[in-house]
Amino acid sequence: MEKLSIEDMAVFCKRKGFVYPNSEIYGGFSGFWDFGHLGVELKNNIKNEWWNYHVTQREDIVGIDGSIITHPKVWEASGHVANFTDLMLTTKKTKTKIRADQFIEEKLNIAADGLTSEEINKLIKKHKLKHNGEDIEELKDFNLMFETSVGPDKGQTAFLRPETAQLIFTDFRLVVDNARLKLPFGIAQIGKGFRNEISPRDFLFRCREFDMMEIEYFVHPDKDECPLIREVLNYELNFYSAEMQEKGKKPLIMKVKDALRRNMISEWHAYWLAVEQKWFTDLGAKSENFRVRQHLKKEKSHYALDTWDLEYNFPFGWKELEGIANRTDFDLQQHMQASGKDLRIYDEETKDKIIPHVIAEPSLGVERAFLVFMFDAYVYDKKRNNVVLKLNPKLAPVKVAVFPLVSNKPQLTKKAIEVYSNLKKYFNVFYDESGSIGRRYARQDEIGTPLCITIDFDSIKKNDVTIRDRNSTKQIRVKIKDLGHKIWEYMNGVKFEKLGKTILK
Ligand code: GAP
């Protein structure tokens, strides 16, 4: 089936109450989006699932929640004031601003990430490139951090954070001491990030305000073997190393152990890429839409020794979904120097003070994850002549819908409202009595509700209900008293058919 375009996805999300253009009544505000009554549920579920998998279920990672505005010196020390820039083109006549690498990519169909201003200038001259018939006037660095001021009158200039990561470094000693962390360990955070993108585009893919889910994973500077690698040795990834890209080769699907044997990737990088892709696929994303691509030298951020991206095959091509950088001790060193504070930790084994290295920084935007789950769940079902959003039950905004078979029989509606009110204490449940049963099923299929419960005349006599499965449309009969734990089992991976006796449709 052909993938939905990003524009069609934006239309679907708006029509169904997932995502709205921000301040649409004033014409919208480029790069900003609002989440509707279903979108906020899906977004919260993504964040909760991420936290559960990366923090709650692990023994080696704890979380923090740092503030959005922080001391301006943080961003000087981290290098963001000097280096967090994109090259921007300005056109001669209308003074239109365009992101230079995107302009080159679109005009010449080549990868332009990381090109220097000289290289871009040369290409513009060589190919006599114009934008909508206009000449390019100027090419300059543009810092992506939003400025604000803190305190009365003009106050002190500060920045909205462009990444959550720096708060992990500035709080590092406090977290390590209070949580009594021992290497290797991680510190995780979910929160808003802000980037004054030159050209926000592709719906939620590139926005100016977004949520980030980040981990700084610290190891001993002299120990680069990964004690957890055994967990992922047989996991398959679609590898695309820098060497493969330089030699014009295609990406290759192989097991982690084979990539390690070929010295293509470090153990820690392979471990984190596998763990991250698994998080997506366990929640229903399709593994064939993922690949892992190493950054070329010129693409790497100012702080990174090596970076691999988890990429996803978006309708507009393979793009970064999540970056995993080896930041070494760059940030802790910078903050030690700038603050004059000792951020080293005591190593029991060597009885020495050391500066741990960030061997991997898995960093993922919630909005990009949102798109992945929506694209991989969206199916147009010809037989049903309807969209079926096959979201994993853990992510689905509404878990269960409850219907009386007909709405004009008080004994049915009374029983249905009773079932609905009981389940609502534990799950996000929706009650609907309007329209035919078929129409009510179709409305729930479109928004991804995995289970629909119908109360009929037998329910009054036998205290049982029909549950219908979104994906297969199969139906089973279940006692009302068992509903709570059956739904819970289903949410936690038990197959629909195992929940009760199948009945004819
Ligand atoms: N701390 C590392 C860091 O910030 P990054 O590659 O610049 O690395 C991390 O960003 C992730 O944040 C990206 O992989 C992407 O998922 C998300 N992201 C970055 N810029 C974004 C934008 N303008 N809109 C939506 N998501 C964005």
Side-chain angles (χ1 to χ4, degrees):
M1 197 189 79
E2 214 172 272
K3 223 175 208 172
L4 206 66
S5 73
I6 190 78
E7 292 79 16
D8 288 342
M9 180 55 84
V11 170
F12 177 79
C13 283
K14 182 176 165 190
R15 197 163 51 82
K16 290 288 141 198
F18 282 94
V19 186
Y20 306 125
N22 169 264
S23 49
E24 199 191 23
I25 57 167
Y26 292 99
F29 203 35
S30 181
F32 298 93
W33 298 93
D34 297 338
F35 287 80
H37 72 294
L38 297 177
V40 67
E41 296 291 341
L42 174 55
K43 196 175 172 191
N44 285 342
N45 293 342
I46 292 172
K47 290 195 268 189
N48 289 339
E49 285 303 316
W50 188 91
W51 195 265
N52 186 23
Y53 179 85
H54 292 91
V55 182
T56 316
Q57 287 184 25
R58 294 183 67 117
E59 287 175 3
D60 55 345
I61 300 186
V62 298
I64 64 160
D65 182 12
S67 73
I68 284 171
I69 297 173
T70 188
H71 201 296
K73 282 194 175 156
V74 169
W75 305 108
E76 278 167 32
S78 67
H80 283 79
V81 172
N83 299 312
F84 197 62
T85 55
D86 273 342
L87 277 168
M88 179 174 74
L89 297 171
T90 307
T91 62
K92 207 163 200 166
K93 208 165 137 212
T94 57
K95 308 290 176 208
T96 308
K97 317 279 185 210
I98 327 156
R99 207 174 121 167
D101 56 350
Q102 282 172 1
F103 175 75
I104 296 292
E105 273 171 24
E106 278 166 16
K107 292 281 175 192
L108 302 177
N109 203 17
I110 56 167
D113 199 10
L115 288 184
T116 62
S117 52
E118 292 80 57
E119 287 167 328
I120 289 183
N121 261 329
K122 258 191 199 161
L123 287 170
I124 292 173
K125 278 201 187 111
K126 182 174 165 200
H127 298 279
K128 298 193 175 67
L129 299 180
K130 291 179 189 245
H131 176 71
N132 290 343
E134 279 189 65
D135 284 327
I136 306 300
E137 180 186 59
E138 186 186 42
L139 178 64
K140 68 169 189 184
D141 274 330
F142 174 75
N143 195 298
L144 300 185
M145 283 198 293
F146 278 105
E147 268 186 35
T148 185
S149 64
V150 176
D153 293 332
K154 284 220 167 120
Q156 183 185 13
T157 301
F159 303 99
L160 303 192
R161 64 183 184 198
E163 61 171 15
T164 68
Q166 290 308 316
L167 285 304
I168 294 176
F169 299 119
T170 52
D171 289 341
F172 177 73
R173 273 304 302 267
L174 290 167
V175 180
V176 172
D177 291 347
N178 288 323
R180 296 165 54 214
L181 299 173
K182 299 269 174 295
L183 290 169
F185 64 78
I187 304 177
Q189 184 170 200
I190 299 181
K192 288 275 184 198
F194 301 84
R195 297 184 188 181
N196 197 2
E197 296 284 354
I198 300 165
S199 324
R201 51 158 65 185
D202 295 321
F203 186 32
L204 295 176
F205 181 80
R206 192 172 300 287
C207 351
R208 288 180 165 141
E209 174 181 332
F210 50 99
D211 274 284
M212 303 179 87
M213 308 188 281
E214 297 196 290
I215 299 169
E216 302 303 323
Y217 200 84
F218 298 92
V219 299
H220 190 289
D222 304 329
K223 293 183 188 160
D224 54 10
E225 71 280 8
C226 167
L228 308 170
I229 194 70
R230 292 164 75 96
E231 292 172 19
V232 301
L233 284 175
N234 287 317
Y235 195 81
E236 278 188 345
L237 293 168
N238 192 7
F239 285 92
Y240 201 20
S241 68
E243 193 188 341
M244 290 159 97
Q245 295 163 62
E246 279 152 7
K247 291 189 173 162
K249 291 188 178 164
K250 292 216 162 86
L252 200 59
I253 297 175
M254 65 184 117
K255 289 189 173 159
V256 162
K257 64 181 175 195
D258 296 324
L260 291 173
R261 203 175 298 132
R262 292 180 183 208
N263 276 331
M264 186 181 275
I265 189 165
S266 74
E267 285 188 3
W268 274 114
H269 248 124
Y271 169 77
W272 274 109
L273 287 162
V275 165
E276 292 309 281
Q277 181 170 317
K278 189 169 178 304
W279 178 73
F280 275 101
T281 51
D282 282 356
L283 286 171
K286 297 175 179 160
S287 56
E288 65 268 27
N289 288 332
F290 289 81
R291 73 178 186 191
V292 298
R293 189 182 72 82
Q294 188 177 24
H295 277 203
L296 299 170
K297 210 171 162 200
K298 60 183 181 183
E299 284 177 81
K300 276 187 279 190
S301 307
H302 63 276
Y303 49 73
L305 180 71
D306 187 16
T307 301
W308 285 74
D309 284 344
L310 182 62
E311 292 193 333
Y312 177 79
N313 192 9
F314 286 96
F316 41 93
W318 286 97
K319 298 280 173 204
E320 173 183 344
L321 170 60
E322 171 169 6
I324 302 183
N326 175 344
R327 284 180 95 126
T328 66
D329 58 356
F330 174 85
D331 303 86
L332 288 179
Q333 289 276 17
Q334 292 291 108
H335 289 302
M336 285 214 327
Q337 260 176 40
S339 68
K341 295 281 175 344
D342 186 3
L343 301 179
R344 292 175 302 166
I345 62 173
Y346 184 71
D347 180 41
E348 304 270 356
E349 225 176 274
T350 54
K351 311 275 180 246
D352 215 359
K353 277 193 156 185
I354 52 154
I355 308 173
H357 279 216
V358 171
I359 197 77
E361 182 204 41
S363 174
L364 168 65
V366 178
E367 281 72 3
R368 290 193 191 175
F370 187 102
L371 286 178
V372 166
F373 291 122
M374 286 296 279
F375 275 118
D376 281 355
Y378 186 100
V379 174
Y380 182 77
D381 188 316
K382 277 194 190 148
K383 236 165 115 192
R384 286 186 237 182
N385 191 21
N386 196 40
V387 170
V388 182
L389 199 59
K390 296 191 172 174
L391 285 170
N392 182 288
K394 288 186 173 151
L395 297 181
V398 177
K399 310 300 182 196
V400 183
V402 178
F403 315 142
L405 184 63
V406 286
S407 60
N408 56 358
K409 297 284 173 203
Q411 71 269 45
L412 289 192
T413 47
K414 185 169 170 258
K415 192 84 181 162
I417 289 171
E418 200 181 293
V419 169
Y420 161 76
S421 307
N422 277 333
L423 292 177
K424 198 145 180 62
K425 292 180 203 151
Y426 310 102
F427 308 102
N428 194 354
V429 187
F430 184 74
Y431 176 81
D432 192 3
E433 56 176 43
S434 77
S436 69
I437 277 287
R439 192 64 219 121
R440 283 181 262 168
Y441 282 151
R443 283 201 290 260
Q444 295 307 315
D445 286 348
E446 262 192 312
I447 63 165
T449 307
L451 302 174
C452 290
I453 292 176
T454 305
I455 282 80
D456 53 26
F457 293 101
D458 272 353
S459 307
I460 313 284
K461 285 185 242 153
K462 297 186 188 157
N463 266 318
D464 59 6
V465 296
T466 297
I467 312 184
R468 179 252 197 195
D469 174 45
R470 173 198 65 202
N471 288 4
S472 63
T473 73
K474 280 185 186 155
Q475 300 188 354
I476 54 171
R477 201 76 187 170
V478 166
K479 289 279 176 211
I480 290 177
K481 67 173 175 46
D482 295 337
L483 274 176
H485 89 256
K486 296 272 179 197
I487 295 169
W488 188 87
E489 278 181 344
Y490 175 75
M491 298 275 304
N492 286 286
V494 174
K495 289 230 159 21
F496 178 75
E497 295 77 7
K498 293 253 157 83
L499 298 182
K501 214 167 151 209
T502 308
I503 53 170
L504 292 175
K505 276 193 265 168

